[in-house]
């Protein structure tokens, strides 16, 4: 944990130097570390404050299973309990307008560090560290930290060779996705909150099988047509927001899926078309 904090301060010094020698400001680095106690309790360390603009989150998952770090903005005064109630609430429930999904780092394997660059405006945020479990009721309570963002302007979000644009209700990939680490910019041009969850289609299965797996009610039969172990995903992103992240992909067909519902509540977006086949090149 100490080593990461040190790395963060070296990066911060580097970005100051970069700012002096160029008009382009570099994203401000932020180190977020999730730890898990022997009894399963999660805790999160993150800075209390940062400046507005692009912020590069480096998320170190020292927990026992895959976890994510999402940044949630609140308009007005809302406690973290209110935020967690929305995030862990009934599937398909309404999402209050005071809650803003600012992005963050998607699923990260235990022992790994992943980064994502997001854009923050002045305001109050919570960083939520959440373990992923197949049965959400069994997971530990998410850990949280407050983050106060001040100022205006700041660094711009970097561009990336490949952009994935979400609309209500579709994914559009601009550029190539290849086997290995892809730096991807995710732009949410829709009016709803979206994320990108990418599942490799299992050998011997087709995209139609994958679609049927998600869209058919009741218990599926037979082996799943998707490789859940190989799945990668982004944090949730509000309307008009963007982030830059890395997606580790392998060659072959994927199903891109959004599980989020409309703000007013309702079925997950894959039922409205946000389940699409995307082919990753070798
Ligand atoms: Cu969506």
């Amino acid at each position: 944990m100490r080593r990461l904090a040190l790395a963060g301060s070296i990066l911060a010094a580097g970005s100051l130097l970069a700012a002096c020698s160029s008009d382009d400001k570099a994203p401000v680095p932020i180190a977020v570390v999730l730890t898990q106690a022997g009894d399963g309790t999660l805790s999160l360390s993150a800075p209390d404050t940062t400046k507005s603009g692009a912020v590069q989150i480096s998320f170190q998952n020292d927990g026992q299973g895959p976890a994510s770090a999402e940044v949630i903005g609140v308009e007005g005064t809302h406690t973290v309990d209110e935020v967690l109630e929305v995030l862990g609430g009934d599937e398909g429930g309404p999402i209050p307008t005071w809650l803003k999904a600012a992005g963050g780092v998607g699923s990260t394997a235990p022992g790994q560090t992943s980064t994502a660059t997001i854009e923050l405006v002045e305001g109050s945020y919570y960083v939520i560290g959440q373990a992923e479990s197949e049965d959400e009721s069994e997971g530990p309570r998410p850990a949280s930290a407050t983050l106060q963002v001040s100022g205006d302007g700041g660094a711009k979000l970097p561009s990336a060779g490949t952009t994935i644009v979400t609309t209500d209700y579709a994914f559009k990939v601009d550029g190539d996705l290849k086997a290995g680490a892809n730096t991807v910019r995710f732009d949410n041009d829709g009016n709803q909150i979206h994320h990108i969850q990418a599942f490799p289609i299992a050998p011997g299965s087709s995209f139609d099988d994958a679609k049927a797996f998600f869209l058919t009610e009741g218990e599926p039969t037979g082996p799943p047509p998707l490789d859940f172990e190989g799945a990668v995903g982004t944090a949730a992103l509000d309307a008009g927001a963007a982030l830059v992240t890395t997606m580790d992909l392998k060659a072959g067909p994927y199903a891109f899926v959004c599980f989020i519902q409309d703000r007013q509540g309702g079925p997950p977006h894959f039922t409205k078309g946000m389940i699409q086949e995307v082919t990753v090149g070798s």
Side-chain angles (χ1 to χ4, degrees), residues 243-255:
L243 61 78
V244 173
T245 192
T246 302
M247 293 177 86
D248 276 309
L249 302 169
K250 55 186 188 182
Y254 273 75

Side-chain angles (χ1 to χ4, degrees), residues 167-169 171 192-195 258-261 269-270 274:
T167 52
D168 309 336
Y169 300 92
F171 300 100
Q192 301 294 339
I193 301 172
H194 299 297
H195 61 183
C258 179
F259 294 97
I260 297 173
Q261 69 274 27
H269 291 160
F270 68 79
M274 290 188 90

